[in-house]
Amino acid sequence: MILSVANPMEEELYTEQVLLLVIMLVFLTALLFFSMTLFKKIKRLKERSQKRIFQENIDEILFSFLFSNMDIETILTSKDFNAHIHNPLYKRVAIKSIISLHNNYSGNYSTRLEQFYSESGLAQYSMDKLNSKKWKFVVEGIRDLSGMNYVKAYQKIQYLKGHKNCLVQTEALLGMIKLQGLQELFKFRKSSTYLNDWIQSNILYMVKKFKIPAPQDLHELLNSKNESLVLLTIRLITHYKLVSHYNALFSFYQDTNNQKLKQEISVGLRKLEQVN
């Protein structure tokens, strides 16, 4: 009889201990989650505040460099600049500001911004991104370098056209064209690389935005065995309204059996006829 009484008591005590342990684990988990959330929020607010300080600093430096004709050596050796330039966040803010200004200014201002980007060490920071194992940083690096016309990055960007990530491949092709022009397309003349509509639309957009001139021998790409490249060539001839390539387009229309290409050529021929 004593055993039968003791067992229920032990079971009840054990149940209470387990329940207490579960409650403690839930409490500790909630406390940990709250602490992590609070830490991230504080870090985010601190970074936002730091960004504002850096933005004000870089804006003042760039304004002095562009509009007060301050010598670049004076800026690069200044205590104010050297106090921040080694901070990755400062570099990101600076590059974003420079590219934004570069997109809105031309002539001497644009050239001076490229000089600042190159000589300040910011270009090297972008170059280092090309070695990243994370594709998004590689893409970011290509965009920064090509956007700032940093020609020294061309060879490294060209190498990335064989990257395992398709977005990096696309960005590398766009970067090559931005730095060296549409003549770069001739390197894909014998390539099986498929230039899908998304890639082609990006190339056409870039051509329009940066007013990249057409190669005189653009029509020769119609002889490529890469049909996606041929399609892009037709679209480029149409975009540039290259009436001088009308006969080449018409001749290709008669020779090809590809209905998609025929349809695109028909559109192109009609537009070129309107130019005449």
Side-chain angles (χ1 to χ4, degrees), residues 223-244:
N223 298 322
S224 172
K225 292 182 180 180
N226 185 331
E227 291 185 346
S228 65
L229 179 58
V230 174
L231 179 62
L232 174 60
T233 303
I234 297 167
R235 288 171 172 170
L236 285 169
I237 290 173
T238 304
H239 164 71
Y240 286 113
K241 299 178 181 178
L242 298 175
V243 180
S244 58

Side-chain angles (χ1 to χ4, degrees), residues 178-192:
K178 178 67 175 65
L179 291 173
Q180 298 291 345
L182 284 170
Q183 201 67 32
E184 291 298 297
L185 292 176
F186 282 82
K187 293 179 179 177
F188 294 83
R189 194 173 185 176
K190 296 180 180 180
S191 170
S192 59

Side-chain angles (χ1 to χ4, degrees), residues 39-68:
F39 174 76
K40 287 181 179 178
K41 187 173 183 179
I42 292 173
K43 185 180 179 181
R44 193 161 52 245
L45 289 172
K46 185 178 179 181
E47 184 175 292
R48 194 177 299 169
S49 175
Q50 192 69 62
K51 272 186 178 180
R52 281 198 296 269
I53 295 172
F54 286 161
Q55 188 67 63
E56 290 174 3
N57 177 266
I58 195 66
D59 285 347
E60 184 177 343
I61 287 174
L62 291 176
F63 182 86
S64 298
F65 180 64
L66 288 177
F67 305 110
S68 299

